[in-house]
């Protein structure tokens, strides 16, 4: 099992958007995510009306590529264990997600 941390920036501070993101991820049973946990959403200090959160989970090593493909169509980074994407570079799993950083611990 690999531990994954995802830092996510949303283009909304609405609680309904946060709950929607949580539900989408919880319903991805094919990925067999374990210990899925969400930090509280908080306002993002650098951009008005944006919010940030962190997600942690554990996943089988052979499903990591499936997780990345589900979350976004494109990732970049020199280290495969610390990658990022945003709305400009990729199609993301939800239109409210503006940016994601995924770390494999």
């Amino acid at each position: 099992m690999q531990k994954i941390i995802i830092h996510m920036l949303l283009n909304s501070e609405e609680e309904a958007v946060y709950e929607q993101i949580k539900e989408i991820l919880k319903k991805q049973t094919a990925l067999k995510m374990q210990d899925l946990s969400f930090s509280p959403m908080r306002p993002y200090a650098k951009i008005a009306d944006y919010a940030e959160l962190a997600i942690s989970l554990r996943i089988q090593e052979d499903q990591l590529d499936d997780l990345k493909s589900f979350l976004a169509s494109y990732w970049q980074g020199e280290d495969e264990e610390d990658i990022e994407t945003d709305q400009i570079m990729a199609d993301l799993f939800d239109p409210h997600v503006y940016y994601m950083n995924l770390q494999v611990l």
Side-chain angles (χ1 to χ4, degrees), residues 46-87:
K46 295 181 181 182
I47 305 174
D49 300 322
Y50 278 53
E52 64 181 334
L53 67 133
I55 301 164
S56 64
L57 60 105
R58 291 166 32 96
I59 195 166
Q60 293 290 339
E61 202 169 312
D62 63 348
Q63 290 202 307
L64 182 57
D65 286 338
D66 293 337
L67 174 65
K68 291 191 281 188
S69 295
F70 165 74
L71 294 172
S73 62
Y74 175 78
W75 293 90
Q76 72 176 10
E78 292 186 23
D79 182 356
E80 289 183 17
E81 295 180 341
D82 187 2
I83 53 179
E84 63 185 4
T85 192
D86 63 28
Q87 286 181 341

Side-chain angles (χ1 to χ4, degrees), residues 16-34:
V17 170
Y18 174 63
E19 292 300 324
Q20 175 181 316
I21 297 296
K22 287 171 48 175
E23 285 304 309
I24 290 169
L25 291 172
K26 287 178 182 178
K27 290 181 179 178
Q28 295 309 307
T29 56
L31 293 173
K32 298 179 184 148
M33 294 181 278
Q34 295 181 9

Side-chain angles (χ1 to χ4, degrees), residues 10-17 41-44 47-51:
L10 305 177
N11 60 13
S12 173
E13 289 183 323
E14 293 180 28
E15 189 69 27
V17 170
M41 181 179 68
R42 65 181 186 187
Y44 184 62
I47 305 174
D49 300 322
Y50 278 53

